[in-house]
Amino acid sequence: MSDQAYQRVDLHTHSTASDGKLTPTELVNLAHQENVEMLALTDHDTIAGLVEARQVADSVGMKLINGCELSVSWKKIPLHMVALGFNEQCERIAAWTLRNQKVRLERGRQIADLLRKKGLPDLFDKAIEEAGESQLGRPHFAKVMVREGLVKDMNKAFDHYLGNKKLGQIRDVWPQLEDIIPDLAETGCELVLAHPKRYPLTVTKLKAVMKDFKAFGGTSIEIASGNERPDYVRFLERLSREFEFKASVGSDFHGPFGPWTQVGRYTQVHEQEVNPLWYQW
Ligand code: AMP
Ligand code: MN
Ligand code: MN
Ligand code: MN
């Protein structure tokens, strides 16, 4: 266990509007119980949970930041970008999330076809059903695969079928950084490179991503996301200074059970060494 501690600020969480397990109401109540004072709901490619989250946050007196985790792509590599602090009515956020929602459906079809080629039954309809009102994602396919007895658990589903390497040519479906960042940057919202540790990139490539991210108008990097090792958090703190990024933090909470970090929990950061994004709020 790395040195996680409960924190006041959590700027990366998911609800049932995407692939999280808790409804926005349950999430906000849990975060409040855990003494989180400032929370961002950042569902994948949707802001559908924000209105409900805002109602509950207001009623319990917790600060809620509007957020969204957008799927983007850099030189054919899929990355995640967390947008924070936009207005609920922001038309540009609405347009990019809508675009990505369409991509999610088309990509779901492609994923189902790919799985069929590997000898599995057509899982598209079941995955759609599993997703229900939520944004369709690979976790929904994984869930169906476990339920149908095709794999032992979600991890195996990702390892053998759904991981980025396994998806081959259908990876490059998301908006390019150079298109989406400048467009959203003009609205004045904060644009955060999410969980830099989780990409299959060498340090050299990661720095190249950061250079572009900054040049296009990105404002921040996530220096702590979930239970990264402290030395990696120190490394990201240094990179945030080197590239003059603000520093963001979050649990990437998806639910109380499973491999996910709990809401409000992530590796301790050295606030005084960075420029904390959340100080403005
Ligand atoms: P997608 O949004 O369709 O690209 O799917 C990516 C999501 O899958 C991530 O946001 C995680 O929530 C989830 N995920 C990735 N790897 C795993 C894994 N090994 N087990 C369970 N869920 C995973
Ligand atoms: Mn997810
Ligand atoms: Mn992510
Ligand atoms: Mn996330």
Side-chain angles (χ1 to χ4, degrees), residues 97-115:
T97 53
L98 196 67
R99 179 201 186 279
N100 274 8
Q101 288 166 22
K102 286 191 190 130
V103 170
R104 279 183 175 275
L105 271 184
E106 287 159 20
R107 168 180 176 259
R109 186 63 264 171
Q110 288 178 305
I111 289 173
D113 291 345
L114 196 86
L115 296 178

Side-chain angles (χ1 to χ4, degrees), residues 12 14 44 69 79-82 194-195 198-199 252 254:
H12 188 156
H14 295 271
H44 295 284
E69 182 172 19
L79 304 174
H80 283 172
M81 174 170 83
V82 168
H195 45 61
R198 243 179 279 157
Y199 309 119
D252 204 2
H254 281 68

Side-chain angles (χ1 to χ4, degrees), residues 203-228:
V203 169
T204 310
K205 281 267 171 67
L206 183 60
K207 286 189 174 187
V209 171
M210 288 188 184
K211 187 161 172 269
D212 284 352
F213 198 83
K214 177 84 186 185
F216 297 140
T219 64
S220 319
I221 61 171
E222 222 168 54
I223 57 166
S225 40
N227 57 0
E228 249 117 52

Side-chain angles (χ1 to χ4, degrees), residues 70-81 99-100 171-181 209 216:
L70 290 152
S71 310
V72 297
S73 121
W74 178 82
K75 296 188 196 298
K76 304 205 173 202
I77 296 169
L79 304 174
H80 283 172
M81 174 170 83
R99 179 201 186 279
N100 274 8
R171 287 189 308 168
D172 188 27
V173 291
W174 307 112
Q176 303 291 320
L177 278 192
E178 57 262 49
D179 297 325
I180 188 168
I181 293 186
V209 171
F216 297 140

